[in-house]
Amino acid sequence: MANILIIDDHPMVRLAIRMLLEKDQHHIVAECGDGMEAYRLTQRLQPEIVVVDLDIPGLSGVELIDRLRKSGFNGRMLVLTGRDDEHYLSRCIHTGADGFVGKSNNLDELRDAVKAVERGYGYFPLRRLSETGRKAPVWETDVVKTLSNRELQVLHYLALGLKINQIAENMFISNKTVSTYKTRLLNKLQISNTVGLVDFARRHNLD
């Protein structure tokens, strides 16, 4: 059985994950809800498996995976998220995730994913087709792939209606840095205002 670190900013979700995995005799070495704390805990505890959500404050899940891989962490990293869109899946694979499970599915799938990555396999089920019927232009899909992890995180928070100072607090960066990311987003996406950014984010399920 594996030593596992759980990272999610919702305590009840962490509890549900803990209870599920402990039934399979896994040992939960720690849990937390912040990307920076998760980085420090992973470096110190060296868990065999890290279960991480994408939408966490500090470092996002994707940034955490990327930073851990670059630091030489060789444990297995399993993403458990409500964001199961193709661009998130691709980005997680690219940065070094070993598995990807959508929270919209039954949590029993998490058990299967943990078993797979524990044995050294990847766990990336086929993604379901979008049910929205609202297709975005091809160029927009392409430009999303060019956004940095931090730009993507700022866009997500803007779409949720957070102010610059709130985003800065969540990401542990300055207001000026958030404003710089926002300006880059406006330029890259060829959008003139925040309303346009919010609409773009919703078209691509980034909100």
Side-chain angles (χ1 to χ4, degrees):
M1 297 297 102
N3 292 325
I4 299 176
L5 171 64
I6 300 170
I7 307 161
D8 195 294
D9 61 339
H10 297 288
M12 291 306 296
V13 174
R14 295 201 303 268
L15 176 61
I17 296 170
R18 172 186 283 272
M19 292 176 64
L20 184 75
L21 296 181
E22 286 181 339
K23 283 183 180 178
D24 288 341
Q25 307 304 310
H26 295 295
H27 176 56
I28 309 304
V29 295
E31 58 180 72
C32 69
D34 170 83
M36 292 300 296
E37 182 184 1
Y39 180 79
R40 292 189 290 269
L41 281 172
T42 304
Q43 294 286 68
R44 179 166 61 86
L45 300 174
Q46 293 293 307
E48 295 168 270
I49 299 175
V50 175
V51 177
V52 58
D53 187 16
L54 294 182
D55 293 326
I56 51 177
L59 295 175
S60 69
V62 174
E63 287 181 300
L64 176 63
I65 293 168
D66 187 46
R67 185 173 294 194
L68 284 171
R69 286 303 188 215
K70 287 177 178 176
S71 74
F73 177 67
N74 293 318
R76 312 292 284 173
M77 287 190 277
L78 177 59
V79 174
L80 177 65
T81 179
R83 300 183 168 279
D84 56 357
D85 300 283
E86 198 68 34
H87 46 260
Y88 281 109
L89 172 61
S90 298
R91 194 164 294 223
C92 288
I93 293 173
H94 178 73
T95 52
D98 298 290
F100 191 98
V101 177
K103 285 181 179 176
S104 57
N105 299 328
N106 191 302
L107 267 184
D108 280 341
E109 186 180 356
L110 176 61
R111 302 173 75 178
D112 295 334
V114 168
K115 288 176 184 176
V117 300
E118 185 182 15
R119 294 170 183 168
Y121 299 105
Y123 190 89
F124 299 100
L126 293 174
R127 313 318 303 158
R128 66 177 182 273
L129 295 175
S130 173
E131 299 173 356
T132 63
R134 188 183 181 191
K135 298 186 70 174
V138 173
W139 76 267
E140 288 191 356
T141 302
D142 289 338
V143 80
V144 168
K145 298 175 184 177
T146 72
L147 299 181
S148 71
N149 294 329
R150 291 253 124 174
E151 288 167 347
L152 200 62
Q153 193 174 12
V154 168
L155 181 58
H156 165 65
Y157 283 134
L158 287 170
L160 292 179
L162 272 65
K163 305 298 183 185
I164 295 294
N165 64 316
Q166 294 172 310
I167 297 172
E169 183 177 344
N170 279 352
M171 295 178 66
F172 301 112
I173 56 179
S174 68
N175 290 0
K176 183 178 179 181
T177 302
V178 175
S179 296
T180 298
Y181 282 129
K182 181 179 177 181
T183 299
R184 288 182 191 171
L185 286 167
L186 291 168
N187 291 334
K188 283 188 177 182
L189 303 179
Q190 301 175 34
I191 292 172
S192 61
N193 53 50
T194 303
V195 173
L197 287 176
V198 171
D199 185 61
F200 182 95
R202 289 174 178 168
R203 280 202 302 280
H204 292 273
N205 298 314
L206 300 172
D207 54 339

